[in-house]
C-alpha cells in the first residue's frame, strides 16, 4: 500500500508540474500522512520520470524539484517587461494603417483644393522634387512598418506608466523587440525588401540599377534602397519623430536662425587655391552616388507645408522664418516650405528607426550620365554608334544664350541622367557636356 501511495504522488506531480514549486517543508507536510520514507534514503536523490527536470538531494523527507527550463521555448514578453506584447503590436499596426489611409485622403483633398500642385505648376520646381513611383511604393509599405514600431513603443510606455513601472528609454524598448521572434515577425510583412533578386553569375556587364553587383548581397548599393549610415540616427522618439530639443532638454533653435548666425557675408579672401570647378565637380559626383527621395502628395503632387500648417501633416516639416529675417522679411514671408524624406525600413528588414531612400545606385558608376535604372538608360541612348541623346538647341536656355561645343552639338540637360534643373548651374552644366563628349 505504501508503494502504491508513493506512485500515486509521482503521477500527480507529472500531471501538475506547478507542484514542483512547493518548498520542501510544504511538500513534507502534504505527504507526512501518506509516505514514511526511510531515514537512510533521506539524502539520496529519487529517480522520478519527470520530463527533463533535474532532482537535487533534499535535506527533508522529500526531494526538491527545480523549475522546468523554458529556454528552448519562444520567448514571450511578460506584461511587466520592457517589450510590447503581441496584442499591443497588432493593435499598433491596425492604428497606423488607419492613420496612413486618413493621410492619403487628406492629400487628395488638398490636391483637389489646389493647395498641393503638380510639378509643372510648382514655383521653384527643381531636381530635388523628382521622386520615382518605385520610391513612393517603398515608402508606403515602410510608413506602416516604422509607424507601427513607434506606436507599439508608445503603448508599452503607457502600460508601464499605468502599472507604475520604472521609466526606460524608448531605445531600450526598441532594441528589445528584435530579440523576441514572435514580435519582430509581426512587422515583417510590411518590409519592402523581403524578396531578393536572383543573380546571373555569368553576366558580362553590371546591371543599370546596381542589383547583383555583390552576388552574396544582391541588394547592396542598388538604387531605391536606404542610405547606409555611419552613425545611428537621433530622433525625438528614437524611431521617427524629428528632434525639437537638445541633449539637455532645451528647445532647438530654428534652422533659419542657425543659417543667419553661421552664414555671414562672405569675403573675397581665398583660403585654398581651388577654383569653383572643384566644388561643382564634387556636386557632379554627388549626383552619381545619391538622390534623396522626398515625400509627395496625391498623384505625385508637391506638398505645400506652409499653407494650413495647423493640419500637422505627417510628411511636412515647415521652417518658420523670423519677422526680422534679413532677406525674407522684405517679401513678408514667415514660412519656408520643407518636406520630409520618404521613410524606408532597413534593408535587412530588421526592426529599427526610420531610414531614407537613395534613388541612385550607391556606387560611382556613372549614374549622373546614364541614370540608375534600365528604362532611364534606354531613353538616354541614341542606339547608334554608342552615342547618347543630344539636341542642336535647348528650349531651357535663354534665346540670347549660346553654348556651342566643338562639334556643334548642344547638350540637352533634361536628357542627362533624367534630372531637370542641372542647366541652372553653368559649371555643372559644363560637367555634363564634358562627360557626354
Amino acid at each position: 500500500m505504501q508503494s502504491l501511495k508513493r506512485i500515486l504522488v509521482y503521477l500527480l506531480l507529472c500531471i501538475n508540474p506547478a507542484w514542483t514549486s512547493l518548498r520542501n517543508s510544504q511538500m513534507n507536510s502534504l505527504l507526512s500522512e501518506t509516505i514514511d520514507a526511510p531515514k537512510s534514503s533521506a539524502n539520496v536523490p529519487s529517480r522520478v520520470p519527470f520530463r527533463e527536470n533535474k532532482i537535487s538531494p533534499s535535506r527533508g523527507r522529500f526531494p526538491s524539484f527545480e523549475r522546468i527550463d523554458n529556454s528552448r521555448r519562444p520567448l514571450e514578453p511578460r506584461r511587466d517587461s520592457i517589450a510590447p506584447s503581441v496584442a499591443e503590436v497588432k493593435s499598433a499596426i491596425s492604428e497606423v494603417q488607419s492613420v496612413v489611409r486618413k493621410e492619403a485622403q487628406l492629400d487628395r483633398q488638398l490636391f483637389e483644393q489646389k493647395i498641393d500642385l503638380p510639378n509643372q505648376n510648382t514655383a521653384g520646381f527643381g531636381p530635388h522634387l523628382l521622386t520615382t513611383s518605385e520610391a513612393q511604393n517603398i515608402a508606403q509599405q515602410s510608413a506602416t512598418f516604422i509607424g507601427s514600431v513607434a506606436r507599439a513603443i508608445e503603448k508599452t510606455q503607457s502600460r508601464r506608466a499605468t502599472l507604475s513601472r520604472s521609466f526606460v528609454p524608448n531605445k531600450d524598448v526598441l532594441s528589445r523587440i528584435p530579440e523576441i521572434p514572435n514580435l519582430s515577425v509581426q512587422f515583417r510583412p510590411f518590409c519592402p525588401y523581403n524578396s531578393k533578386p536572383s543573380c546571373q553569375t555569368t553576366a558580362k556587364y553590371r546591371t543599370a540599377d546596381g542589383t547583383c553587383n555583390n552576388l552574396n548581397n544582391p541588394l547592396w548599393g542598388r538604387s531605391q534602397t536606404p542610405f547606409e549610415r555611419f552613425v545611428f540616427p537621433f530622433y525625438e522618439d528614437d524611431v521617427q519623430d524629428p528632434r525639437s530639443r537638445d541633449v539637455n532638454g532645451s528647445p532647438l533653435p530654428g534652422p533659419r536662425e542657425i543659417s543667419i548666425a553661421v552664414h555671414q557675408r562672405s569675403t573675397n579672401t581665398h583660403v585654398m587655391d581651388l577654383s569653383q570647378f572643384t566644388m561643382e565637380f564634387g556636386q557632379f559626383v554627388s549626383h552619381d552616388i545619391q538622390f534623396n527621395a522626398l515625400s509627395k502628395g496625391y498623384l505625385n503632387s508637391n506638398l505645400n507645408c506652409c499653407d494650413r500648417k495647423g493640419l500637422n501633416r505627417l510628411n511636412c516639416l515647415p521652417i518658420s522664418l523670423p519677422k526680422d529675417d534679413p532677406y525674407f522679411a522684405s517679401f513678408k514671408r514667415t514660412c519656408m516650405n520643407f518636406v520630409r524624406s520618404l521613410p524606408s525600413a532597413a534593408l535587412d528588414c530588421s526592426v529599427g528607426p526610420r531610414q531614407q531612400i537613395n534613388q541612385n545606385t550607391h556606387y560611382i558608376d556613372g549614374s549622373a550620365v546614364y541614370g540608375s535604372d534600365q528604362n532611364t538608360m534606354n531613353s538616354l541612348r541614341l542606339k547608334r554608334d554608342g552615342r547618347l541623346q543630344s539636341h542642336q538647341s535647348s528650349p531651357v536656355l535663354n534665346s540670347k544664350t549660346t553654348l556651342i561645343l566643338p562639334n556643334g552639338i548642344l547638350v540637352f540637360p533634361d536628357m542627362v541622367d533624367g534630372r531637370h534643373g542641372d542647366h541652372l548651374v553653368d559649371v555643372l552644366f559644363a560637367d555634363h557636356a564634358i562627360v557626354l563628349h
Side-chain angles (χ1 to χ4, degrees), residues 267-276:
T267 65
N268 294 325
T269 304
H270 295 279
V271 296
M272 290 188 294
D273 188 18
L274 299 173
S275 68
Q276 183 182 351

Side-chain angles (χ1 to χ4, degrees), residues 206-327:
R206 297 183 181 185
T207 58
D209 64 359
T211 301
C212 298
N213 198 21
N214 185 311
L215 295 178
N216 294 327
N217 302 280
L219 290 181
W220 281 11
R222 181 188 182 275
S223 61
Q224 314 297 344
T225 56
F227 285 98
E228 198 64 33
R229 288 183 176 273
F230 287 109
V231 295
F232 204 73
F234 194 167
Y235 292 108
E236 185 94 340
D237 63 346
D238 293 320
V239 181
Q240 65 173 355
D241 289 347
R243 290 179 59 194
S244 63
R245 297 185 177 277
D246 62 20
V247 293
N248 297 318
S250 301
L252 289 172
R256 182 57 179 167
E257 283 85 348
I258 296 175
S259 178
I260 294 173
V262 173
H263 300 286
Q264 301 293 332
R265 183 180 297 275
S266 60
T267 65
N268 294 325
T269 304
H270 295 279
V271 296
M272 290 188 294
D273 188 18
L274 299 173
S275 68
Q276 183 182 351
F277 185 84
T278 304
M279 180 275 293
E280 297 293 356
F281 185 76
Q283 188 176 9
F284 181 79
V285 173
S286 171
H287 287 187
D288 192 319
I289 61 177
Q290 67 86 24
F291 191 1
N292 193 20
L294 295 184
S295 299
K296 306 286 277 189
Y298 181 68
L299 293 181
N300 202 33
S301 59
N302 297 303
L303 301 180
N304 185 345
C305 297
C306 286
D307 199 333
R308 305 186 184 184
K309 290 191 294 183
L311 292 175
N312 293 324
R313 304 176 71 178
L314 293 179
N315 293 310
C316 276
L317 199 62
I319 299 173
S320 296
L321 301 176
K323 294 181 180 180
D324 58 347
D325 190 280
Y327 177 78

Side-chain angles (χ1 to χ4, degrees), residues 111 116-131 136 295-303 420:
F111 176 79
D116 295 345
L117 300 175
N119 289 338
Q120 61 270 23
N121 297 339
T122 301
F125 172 74
H128 62 290
L129 295 178
L130 293 176
T131 300
Q136 294 183 62
S295 299
K296 306 286 277 189
Y298 181 68
L299 293 181
N300 202 33
S301 59
N302 297 303
L303 301 180
H420 300 253

Side-chain angles (χ1 to χ4, degrees), residues 369-370 377 380-382 384 386-390 435-436:
V369 181
Y370 304 103
M377 180 182 289
L380 295 174
R381 290 187 179 280
L382 188 61
R384 187 176 68 250
R387 293 179 176 271
L388 293 175
Q389 295 276 5
S390 60
V435 173
L436 175 66

Side-chain angles (χ1 to χ4, degrees), residues 55-316:
I55 303 174
S56 60
S58 172
R59 296 181 180 178
R61 303 178 62 185
F62 197 84
S64 62
F65 290 78
E66 294 183 359
R67 292 187 177 184
I68 299 175
D69 182 9
N70 290 323
S71 60
R72 297 182 182 179
R73 298 183 180 181
L75 187 58
E76 277 284 354
R78 294 195 301 257
R79 295 298 295 178
D80 62 343
S81 71
I82 66 171
S85 66
V86 172
E88 287 172 332
V89 170
K90 290 182 177 180
S91 176
I93 292 173
S94 178
E95 292 175 11
V96 170
Q97 287 176 322
S98 177
V99 170
V100 171
R101 287 192 296 267
K102 290 180 179 179
E103 185 73 9
Q105 294 173 358
L106 178 60
D107 286 346
R108 180 166 184 170
Q109 292 174 4
L110 295 177
F111 176 79
E112 293 172 347
Q113 296 171 13
K114 296 184 179 181
I115 302 297
D116 295 345
L117 300 175
N119 289 338
Q120 61 270 23
N121 297 339
T122 301
F125 172 74
H128 62 290
L129 295 178
L130 293 176
T131 300
T132 65
S133 57
E134 185 176 359
Q136 294 183 62
N137 291 334
I138 291 172
Q140 188 173 14
Q141 298 181 68
S142 298
T144 301
F145 187 106
I146 303 299
S148 299
V149 173
R151 185 70 183 115
I153 293 176
E154 289 178 7
K155 287 180 173 292
T156 302
Q157 298 289 29
S158 177
R159 166 170 51 82
R160 290 182 60 84
T162 302
L163 298 175
S164 300
R165 304 295 182 185
S166 59
F167 173 78
V168 293
N170 283 353
K171 62 181 180 181
D172 291 347
V173 182
L174 179 63
S175 64
R176 179 70 174 136
I177 295 176
E179 299 175 356
I180 305 174
N182 285 357
L183 291 183
S184 56
V185 73
Q186 305 297 325
F187 302 100
R188 191 86 188 192
F190 306 101
C191 180
Y193 310 111
N194 279 319
S195 59
K196 299 296 186 292
S198 57
C199 300
Q200 298 180 4
T201 57
T202 59
K204 185 176 181 179
Y205 302 106
R206 297 183 181 185
T207 58
D209 64 359
T211 301
C212 298
N213 198 21
N214 185 311
L215 295 178
N216 294 327
N217 302 280
L219 290 181
W220 281 11
R222 181 188 182 275
S223 61
Q224 314 297 344
T225 56
F227 285 98
E228 198 64 33
R229 288 183 176 273
F230 287 109
V231 295
F232 204 73
F234 194 167
Y235 292 108
E236 185 94 340
D237 63 346
D238 293 320
V239 181
Q240 65 173 355
D241 289 347
R243 290 179 59 194
S244 63
R245 297 185 177 277
D246 62 20
V247 293
N248 297 318
S250 301
L252 289 172
R256 182 57 179 167
E257 283 85 348
I258 296 175
S259 178
I260 294 173
V262 173
H263 300 286
Q264 301 293 332
R265 183 180 297 275
S266 60
T267 65
N268 294 325
T269 304
H270 295 279
V271 296
M272 290 188 294
D273 188 18
L274 299 173
S275 68
Q276 183 182 351
F277 185 84
T278 304
M279 180 275 293
E280 297 293 356
F281 185 76
Q283 188 176 9
F284 181 79
V285 173
S286 171
H287 287 187
D288 192 319
I289 61 177
Q290 67 86 24
F291 191 1
N292 193 20
L294 295 184
S295 299
K296 306 286 277 189
Y298 181 68
L299 293 181
N300 202 33
S301 59
N302 297 303
L303 301 180
N304 185 345
C305 297
C306 286
D307 199 333
R308 305 186 184 184
K309 290 191 294 183
L311 292 175
N312 293 324
R313 304 176 71 178
L314 293 179
N315 293 310
C316 276

